[in-house]
Structures are given as structure tokens and as C-alpha cells.
Amino acid sequence: MKKLLFSLAVFSAITFAACSSDDDNNTGGSACRTCEIAGEDSYRVCRGTNGNAFVDDTDTGVEYGEYLDSFCG
């Protein structure tokens, strides 16, 4: 009985870890682009499933294309 419970616990832990999402930022794995600012570090901008630009997993509230035109030259 102990082996069965242990096996069930291990199986549950593995399933939970395998199903966790690396994509919690709503970007849906869509297009990303690296933007550069002179004298600063570059950063990555991704298009979210809602069409907005996401920077550091945060929705900017600005449409992706408009963000690129305005801030990524």
C-alpha cells in the first residue's frame, strides 16, 4: 500500500511539473523582436495573443506594431 501511495505521489508531481506553463505572459509563443536603445541594454518585445506588445512578460497596453514603430525604430 505504501508503494502504491508513493508511486501515485511521484506520478502526480511529475505530471504537475510537466504541465506547468512557461508561457504565463500571454504571448502565446508568437513573434518576438529584440529592441536596442543606444547606450542601454537591449530588451525583448513579444506580440501577445491579444495583439499587444509584451516587455519582460508585462503587457504594455500598446499594439505590437505601434510599439515597434515608436520604440524600436
Side-chain angles (χ1 to χ4, degrees), residues 7-61:
S7 297
L8 184 59
V10 169
F11 178 76
S12 297
I14 291 172
T15 301
F16 179 77
C19 294
S20 69
S21 176
D22 292 337
D23 210 12
D24 293 336
N25 60 10
N26 196 30
T27 61
S30 59
C32 294
R33 180 172 163 187
T34 300
C35 294
E36 296 180 11
I37 300 174
E40 300 289 328
D41 291 334
S42 61
Y43 62 98
R44 189 173 166 136
V45 179
C46 297
R47 180 190 325 249
T49 56
N50 62 359
N52 288 347
F54 279 72
V55 177
D56 294 329
D57 299 332
T58 303
D59 188 347
T60 63

